[in-house]
Amino acid sequence: MKSVRLLISGEDPPRSIALEEAGQESARDTLLCLPGLLETHESFGGLVGLLGNDHRIFLMDYAGRGDSDPMPEASHYRMSRYLGDIGVALAYVQGRLTSSMRPSRPREVQSPMRIHLVGTSMGGILAMSVAAQQPAGIASVVLNDV
């Protein structure tokens, strides 16, 4: 797996969220995995083992979880902020954004790409919201324990 940090700007102070990249870079099907409220990217380790040979997989850590920076204040932890962070992660997955580690060039993306959201608990609720807001950009949503 490869670790990526994505800068969230426009907030005081700026912070970063962490993604883990795994699987086949040339795969047409890409998964963006969204954990539950108290989980991290590690919750999807078994899924990477099962699907990593045929899929590109991105595992997200929310602000204040896993390898992502915390929010500056406790009141900032809310669904709208998580949705904004997922939007940044999705832009990176789609190749429209660089990581803070490689600011000079966007990630190359094989085309056409089908993006599938995989959400557990709160991650599933967020996945449904993202898919409702961007139906053309999401091929499917897989829900677990929602």
Side-chain angles (χ1 to χ4, degrees):
M1 278 204 257
K2 180 174 88 175
S3 297
V4 175
R5 298 193 67 78
L6 302 174
L7 183 63
I8 306 294
S9 59
E11 305 212 12
D12 187 23
R15 59 187 173 78
S16 66
I17 54 172
L19 284 179
E20 293 290 325
E21 291 186 44
Q24 290 291 336
E25 287 188 36
S26 62
R28 182 173 179 206
D29 289 296
T30 299
L31 309 178
L32 175 57
C33 299
L34 306 173
L37 177 64
L38 300 177
E39 298 175 340
T40 68
H41 71 274
E42 294 175 350
S43 300
F44 294 101
L47 189 66
V48 171
L50 290 171
L51 300 178
N53 289 335
D54 299 318
H55 296 79
R56 187 77 179 132
I57 303 173
F58 292 86
L59 313 169
M60 183 174 174
D61 281 334
Y62 301 120
R65 308 286 189 290
D67 296 325
S68 290
D69 294 341
M71 298 276 192
E73 296 180 31
S75 63
H76 292 176
Y77 289 93
R78 53 184 180 259
M79 297 294 264
S80 60
R81 291 277 173 107
Y82 293 138
L83 284 169
D85 291 356
I86 293 167
V88 171
L90 193 55
Y92 177 78
V93 168
Q94 293 169 329
R96 298 182 289 118
L97 180 74
T98 61
S99 76
S100 58
M101 305 286 280
R102 295 176 289 156
S104 60
R105 179 175 145 229
R107 229 176 40 78
E108 290 186 27
V109 174
Q110 301 295 321
S111 193
M113 179 195 320
R114 293 187 304 211
I115 297 176
H116 309 273
L117 301 177
V118 179
T120 297
S121 191
M122 181 187 78
I125 294 167
L126 292 166
M128 289 187 286
S129 183
V130 170
Q133 293 171 6
Q134 302 179 37
I138 305 300
S140 71
V141 176
V142 178
L143 304 174
N144 174 47
D145 196 25
V146 175

